[in-house]
Amino acid sequence: MILCIGCAVWPLARAADESPATLADAVTLASRVAELEQRVQALEAAMAPKAGTAKPVLEVHSEEWCGPCQIFERELRARGEVPIEVKHVKFSSRVPAFRWTDATGKQVTRTGYVSGGLQALIDDVMKAAGQ
């Protein structure tokens, strides 16, 4: 997230009175915006996966009332450890949806789930991640 310091400072600096107090407020605001930008960048860097250690992420958009979603969940629990990170997201549609990011950064989405399709789905996510 990038904030424009000039956009935040200019309206204050162009106020009707350009007194030292107004200019000091503009400088204070600009420094606070810059500090917030640095904090956001530090948080984003801390949250970014480390090279070579992160598992590919599969987002599972599902609900408790969805039959195919429940089949997927049972098969996932029965499998135990998987080489991907599974992140659950609630949705309000009629079919489960699976989403992951390929090696080029493009989002890939697949809808529906068929019993026994867990390994094929894992393989697709791993292949898209280049692993």
Side-chain angles (χ1 to χ4, degrees):
M1 178 173 151
I2 297 175
L3 300 174
C4 176
I5 294 172
C7 296
V9 173
W10 186 78
L12 291 175
R14 300 296 303 166
D17 87 61
E18 294 185 3
S19 67
T22 301
L23 293 175
D25 287 344
V27 170
T28 301
L29 177 62
S31 68
R32 288 183 179 167
V33 168
E35 179 185 318
L36 286 172
E37 285 180 340
Q38 289 175 347
R39 290 174 61 192
V40 167
Q41 290 173 354
L43 286 171
E44 288 175 344
M47 293 174 57
K50 307 295 184 244
T53 61
K55 292 181 178 180
V57 177
L58 170 65
E59 286 184 2
V60 180
H61 298 256
S62 64
E63 287 288 347
E64 293 177 9
W65 49 259
C66 176
C69 296
Q70 297 312 307
I71 293 169
F72 170 78
E73 290 301 323
R74 280 194 302 271
E75 291 182 2
L76 185 62
R77 279 192 303 275
R79 169 78 183 260
E81 184 72 24
V82 291
I84 60 174
E85 180 181 340
V86 179
K87 177 180 173 186
H88 295 286
V89 180
K90 296 285 186 183
F91 83 114
S92 297
S93 188
R94 293 181 287 167
V95 297
F98 303 95
R99 185 170 64 184
W100 61 92
T101 304
D102 69 11
T104 66
K106 180 181 173 190
Q107 292 274 317
V108 179
T109 303
R110 178 178 299 159
T111 57
Y113 184 75
V114 179
S115 181
L118 179 60
Q119 187 58 50
L121 187 58
I122 290 171
D123 291 345
D124 288 346
V125 175
M126 297 292 291
K127 184 171 121 185
Q131 296 183 359

